[in-house]
Amino acid sequence: MNPKLELLHPYPFAKMATLLAHSTPAPEFETIKLGIGEPKHEPPSFVLQTLADNLIKVQNYPSTSGLPELRQAIADWLQHRFSLNRISADSQIIPVMGTREALFSFVQAAINLDAGNDVSDKPLIVMPNPFYQIYEGAALLAGAEPYFVPCTADNDFKGDYRSVPSDVWERTQLVFVCSPNNPTGAVFDADDWQALIELSDQHNFIIASDECYSELYFESPPVGLLEVCAQLGRDDYKNCVVFHSLSKRSNLPGLRSGFIAGDASLLQPYLQYRTYQGAALPIHHQLASIAAWQDEAHVEHNRTLYAQKFDLWISELGEALTLTKPDAGFYLWVQVPPPFVDEQGKPDDEAFVKALYEQVNINALAGRYLSREVDGVNPGKGFVRLALVASVDESRQAIERIKGLLAQP
């Protein structure tokens, strides 16, 4: 087997399973799952009907490039949502089987191990810390080395990419940005994007923007990478690609449908890679995706439901847990409250998630499992991620249980 597989860390939920292996949840409570970011709102009925109406398409092989009608629906959505001057449905968009597989496979196709002047220097992939674990796994299996940018309260949880040393940029081939961020909910603004684009021009690296939470906002729509490219007159989107998905936007995680869009000079060789990989979205999924991308009413309803839950959590627990509504997304990035500390008296996220599980039967995710320690600091340590995917009624129950937990002496 590929020896690089040994470099992979256990996935966060595997770490949680190990942590709780000898724990028993409180039997008087039904389980409330706030650990995994799996949408629980109803998927659009018209999308499900489109799937049902086209099941016969399973007898046909899909093409890797996808149906022209799907690519055009995506192009239309991108132009409307991000005010693009133009984007080619033929050369600047590829449908993918969810952003997770595309984020991973794009790195395998993009990283050039022969590009460095010194063969002993691995290419670098810059990424936020904490981060979506696929970024790191993709980097390691491509033979690159992750470089972590800490996302802390000091930089509004966005990460200060401007502070990355120039010698790091010289070895960097790709930069991951997650905006809106998982888990912090922070969003890049136009100035942040422009600064990163200027660094890309200077050092010739790819910007890969994971924007799969972009439609879960509360006030202003988050600014996207391609949107800023358009504002700068860069309709070729040089060295820029974005990843979008129907999983969060439309509550369709099992459809495994998304897309990558941007620089055609990157996407065309990547399309050939995908052809050999065999990653083609089934035709009935493509037809259902067209219906989803062409409708905004269900997305607006989805946002309303999340806004109700955030308002509920913050009004009821905002002071006890010092909760702050994120810029976007459906996560609360919660600093561990004072009763749960380690031997040094510092907030202990593992202790807090164990107490939530054992005493009130709530699943949460320890922040340290989403981060890596760099220079003795793990920026996720002392935080817990709560995914507000449960119903409003379950949210009320969870809030009352946590109030009871925090009230204990």
Side-chain angles (χ1 to χ4, degrees):
M1 297 296 289
N2 186 342
K4 294 186 180 71
L5 289 170
E6 298 178 3
L7 301 174
L8 299 180
H9 293 254
Y11 213 65
F13 303 112
K15 292 183 179 181
M16 285 299 306
T18 299
L19 176 69
L20 302 176
H22 302 292
S23 296
T24 302
E28 66 269 31
F29 297 115
E30 292 290 328
T31 302
I32 297 178
K33 296 182 178 180
L34 305 178
I36 299 178
E38 181 180 62
K40 296 299 183 184
H41 298 164
E42 287 292 323
S45 59
F46 64 89
V47 174
L48 302 184
Q49 189 61 53
T50 304
L51 271 175
D53 291 344
N54 289 281
L55 286 178
I56 191 63
K57 298 297 184 182
V58 297
Q59 69 182 16
N60 302 120
Y61 280 121
S63 69
T64 309
S65 59
L67 296 170
E69 296 87 349
L70 174 57
R71 296 197 306 273
Q72 189 58 57
I74 293 169
D76 292 342
W77 180 81
L78 280 170
Q79 283 193 273
H80 175 76
R81 167 64 175 83
F82 295 105
S83 302
L84 305 185
N85 303 314
R86 59 182 177 273
I87 188 164
S88 170
D90 293 328
S91 63
Q92 293 178 314
I93 293 170
I94 302 174
V96 299
M97 298 176 69
T99 53
R100 179 173 178 161
E101 70 87 1
L103 289 163
F104 180 86
S105 63
F106 181 78
V107 172
Q108 311 313 304
I111 293 302
N112 182 355
L113 296 178
D114 299 324
N117 295 324
D118 185 345
V119 294
S120 65
D121 286 338
K122 292 182 179 180
L124 294 179
I125 295 181
V126 174
M127 62 191 69
N129 191 25
F131 59 94
Y132 183 40
Q133 304 296 291
I134 299 304
Y135 308 157
E136 179 191 58
L140 294 173
L141 286 175
E145 179 182 336
Y147 179 91
F148 298 106
V149 177
C151 299
T152 64
D154 293 338
N155 52 48
D156 297 323
F157 296 106
K158 293 190 293 186
D160 183 7
Y161 288 77
R162 297 174 179 87
S163 69
V164 174
S166 59
D167 62 325
V168 170
W169 288 132
E170 290 302 321
R171 289 174 54 198
T172 297
Q173 292 190 13
L174 186 144
V175 173
F176 273 120
V177 177
C178 185
S179 178
N181 183 271
N182 170 13
T184 71
V187 169
F188 261 36
D189 60 28
D191 290 340
D192 296 322
W193 284 125
Q194 185 167 346
L196 196 57
I197 290 169
E198 290 171 357
L199 285 166
S200 172
D201 286 345
Q202 183 179 354
H203 299 286
N204 193 33
F205 57 74
I206 298 167
I207 305 172
S209 177
D210 180 356
E211 301 180 8
C212 70
Y213 294 91
S214 71
E215 304 314 288
L216 304 183
Y217 56 86
F218 310 106
E219 295 178 8
S220 301
V223 177
L225 173 58
L226 299 189
E227 182 175 2
V228 176
C229 286
Q231 293 169 1
L232 297 173
R234 301 165 64 104
D235 294 339
D236 62 350
Y237 310 114
K238 180 185 177 183
N239 277 340
C240 294
V241 292
V242 299
F243 300 79
H244 283 269
S245 168
L246 291 174
S247 295
K248 276 72 176 180
R249 173 189 182 270
S250 300
N251 305 313
L252 293 165
L255 191 66
R256 309 313 302 138
S257 179
F259 66 84
I260 178 175
D263 186 343
S265 69
L266 302 175
L267 294 192
Q268 293 314 297
Y270 176 52
L271 178 61
Q272 185 177 27
Y273 177 95
R274 294 181 64 79
T275 301
Y276 277 83
Q277 184 189 23
L281 192 62
I283 294 174
H284 55 302
H285 288 211
Q286 294 190 50
L287 294 170
S289 300
I290 292 171
W293 288 116
Q294 290 179 336
D295 182 78
E296 290 296 325
H298 76 281
V299 187
E300 294 171 4
H301 177 64
N302 202 27
R303 281 196 290 269
T304 298
L305 294 176
Y306 283 119
Q308 289 174 354
K309 287 186 283 188
F310 273 103
D311 289 344
L312 176 64
W313 277 83
I314 291 171
S315 66
E316 295 292 326
L317 274 178
E319 293 186 6
L321 286 179
T322 60
L323 301 180
T324 302
K325 182 185 287 188
D327 295 330
F330 57 42
Y331 298 115
L332 282 170
W333 189 233
V334 183
Q335 190 163 8
V336 173
F340 305 95
V341 295
D342 60 19
E343 295 177 352
Q344 288 75 41
K346 296 181 179 180
D348 189 336
D349 45 310
E350 289 184 325
F352 189 37
V353 296
K354 282 192 74 173
L356 288 169
Y357 181 69
E358 293 173 347
Q359 298 184 44
V360 293
N361 205 352
I362 292 174
N363 294 138
L365 184 61
R368 72 180 70 188
Y369 297 162
L370 295 168
S371 308
R372 293 287 174 261
E373 183 175 308
V374 179
D375 297 329
V377 178
N378 182 322
K381 195 173 183 178
F383 287 85
V384 166
R385 192 188 77 176
L386 298 177
L388 300 195
V389 293
S391 68
V392 173
D393 181 59
E394 285 181 307
S395 291
R396 290 195 180 97
Q397 294 179 48
I399 288 167
E400 291 306 312
R401 294 183 198 179
I402 294 173
K403 283 182 178 179
L405 177 65
L406 296 179
Q408 295 178 12

